[in-house]
Amino acid sequence: RPISLSLDAPDTLFCMVNRAGFISILDNLVDNAIRYTTTAGHVEVRLIRYARHMELSVCDDGPGISAIEHERVFERFYRVPGTTQQGSGLGLAIVQRIAQSHGATIRLGEGLFGRGIGIVVSIPTT
């Protein structure tokens, strides 16, 4: 499927994280965004460093997740009703557990172009 994948990040960004954990968070979020966005869709990854935290955001223009489902998608093995893509329902549960081990928070927000979902992981840097 042709999907546009973009990265908006500084050339260098220093932050103390568990490397394997951070890569797992990034991998799960990008995999989900690609898996659930539409054909010819868009996925955007951003890394921003603030004074006391770093934000990793992954946004897409797929079908999104209804507000009613926002809390449930972090439950192990939970899949949004009507989902046809393959998966086990573990990705966001893994992301949440690793984020918590970093003292990070996760929030779900708007996706791209008025569609989809955006997931922001805010990791403390101090």
Side-chain angles (χ1 to χ4, degrees):
R1 298 179 326 152
I3 294 174
S4 168
L5 177 62
S6 66
L7 172 64
D8 182 10
D11 289 336
T12 58
L13 191 147
F14 296 100
C15 183
M16 295 294 293
V17 295
N18 173 290
R19 184 175 194 264
F22 184 78
I23 289 171
S24 184
I25 288 173
L26 181 62
D27 183 53
N28 275 289
L29 293 180
V30 171
D31 180 69
N32 277 357
I34 290 171
R35 182 184 311 250
Y36 291 103
T37 198
T38 57
T39 299
H42 301 83
V43 174
E44 181 178 277
V45 179
R46 285 191 173 165
L47 282 168
I48 303 171
R49 176 80 150 92
Y50 295 97
R52 298 184 185 266
H53 72 281
M54 173 184 71
E55 282 188 356
L56 163 67
S57 67
V58 179
C59 302
D60 66 57
D61 62 352
I65 301 170
S66 72
I68 296 168
E69 303 289 332
H70 279 196
E71 290 300 317
R72 297 224 44 211
V73 296
F74 294 103
E75 295 174 13
R76 291 177 61 216
F77 304 111
Y78 182 76
R79 300 193 23 97
V80 173
T83 299
T84 58
Q85 288 77 6
Q86 296 216 0
S88 63
L90 285 173
L92 290 179
I94 291 168
V95 167
Q96 184 178 50
R97 173 148 301 173
I98 295 169
Q100 288 171 340
S101 76
H102 280 85
T105 60
I106 302 174
R107 69 180 187 277
L108 277 64
E110 293 186 26
L112 301 173
F113 316 117
R115 298 187 306 270
I117 191 79
I119 301 179
V120 180
V121 180
S122 180
I123 303 169
T125 57
T126 56

